[in-house]
Amino acid sequence: MSEVGLPLWLLAELTYRCPLQCPYCSNPLEFASMQNELTTEQWFDVFKEAREMGAVQLGFSGGEPLVRQDLPELIEYAHKLGFYTNLITSGLGFNEEKIAQFKQAGLDHIQVSFQASDPVINDMLAGSKRAFEKKNEIARLVKKYEYPMVLNFVIHRHNIDQIEDIIQLCIELEADQVELAICQFYGWAYLNRQGLLPTKEQLVRAERITNEYRKKLSDAGNPCKLIFVVPDYYEERPKACMNGWGSIFLTITPDGTALPCHAARQLPMNFPNVKDEKLSDIWYRSTGFNHFRGDAWMPEPCKSCPEKKKDFGGCRCQAFMLTGDASQPDPVCSKSDHHHLILKAREESERELALHELTFRNKKNSKLILVSKG
């Protein structure tokens, strides 16, 4: 086993409950069957143990973390421990009273997600009327309370052609940073891959327009930073997923399951639970966290690849989803024997699926998926 680093970044998935039904949600397909969320006191214990181990950044995520009534207490406790805290939210359920409360509790950062720049598409993807209007209200409150204005747009084939309008909206909202992240295909996004993966032509156009706006913003002295994230499916080398398995990222799910990344729950492996084991034992000694650390597990061509210290063999979850074997090289890599699966996905992106043909993330569909799996 290689030397184990510190869990510097803790992601607290407080709940899988959410008022939205985004068809690209990274939550498990079977979320409807997952109950028994950690209590306030149990989350306190997680935060305390993680901080003692060296964690410095804490993200509150979900589902929608705002549905947790104890969120102000969780923020306050994390702040007192010395965490830099980040709320990742859709904005639905937010209001000025809450943002003032979170500010008082010590929340450092808020990231607001949008579905599209077009209100109709935004609300359809969100599955909620007035979602777009509400997000605009919250974005302005974030600015009013002097938080960094960080907006996130998940980009896919149904909104990528509106990339210019999306950037214009971000400028109007005085965003400090915008993440234009092309869909990464896990959870519900993988289920809807054919309907969400942009074509290469769409991707090239969107990246060109983003670069043009970067120059315009720079020339105008506007500090807004545009981050454009290309999907793995259009790369020839895999990303350094989570900076390596069990390297610096630690995710705790709503029921207390500890994961080295938010998608790892789908793997045919046993991951420990914070209700049963100390966080330090989970991080340093559990089989789940040590399984893909280092490079001893790597098959060829990864084992002899000069880039293995840079990409760590790619994403284990992606390898499993595409090949059925998490120990395989990430098929994104052109050296992989399974790279043809990525090429096939690119070809399939040329056959468009309408928005209404997507499977939306909601309890009804989650239960149907559970039934279909027996």
Side-chain angles (χ1 to χ4, degrees), residues 238-284:
K239 65 178 181 295
C241 190
M242 311 307 289
N243 202 47
W245 182 275
S247 172
I248 61 174
F249 290 92
L250 172 61
T251 295
I252 307 298
T253 68
D255 67 357
T257 302
L259 302 171
C261 76
H262 66 276
R265 192 167 197 156
Q266 68 187 301
L267 300 181
M269 299 171 60
N270 290 320
F271 289 102
N273 194 293
V274 297
K275 296 174 185 174
D276 307 316
E277 300 181 42
K278 288 185 176 297
L279 209 56
S280 58
D281 289 336
I282 289 172
W283 180 258
Y284 290 108

Side-chain angles (χ1 to χ4, degrees), residues 105-118:
L107 182 67
D108 295 298
H109 188 279
I110 300 173
Q111 178 179 304
V112 180
S113 66
F114 276 75
Q115 279 66 39
S117 59
D118 179 276

Side-chain angles (χ1 to χ4, degrees), residues 192-247:
N192 289 303
R193 187 181 67 186
Q194 184 178 337
L196 293 173
L197 182 64
T199 65
K200 183 64 178 289
E201 182 181 3
Q202 287 179 308
L203 181 66
V204 170
R205 175 181 176 272
E207 191 164 20
R208 173 181 58 77
I209 290 172
T210 302
N211 286 332
E212 289 171 358
Y213 267 91
R214 282 175 177 153
K215 186 176 187 309
K216 288 179 185 177
L217 290 167
S218 177
D219 290 347
N222 189 318
C224 178
K225 182 179 180 181
L226 302 179
I227 300 172
F228 190 86
V229 184
V230 176
D232 293 356
Y233 280 65
Y234 284 108
E235 299 283 12
E236 296 301 316
R237 290 289 181 271
K239 65 178 181 295
C241 190
M242 311 307 289
N243 202 47
W245 182 275
S247 172

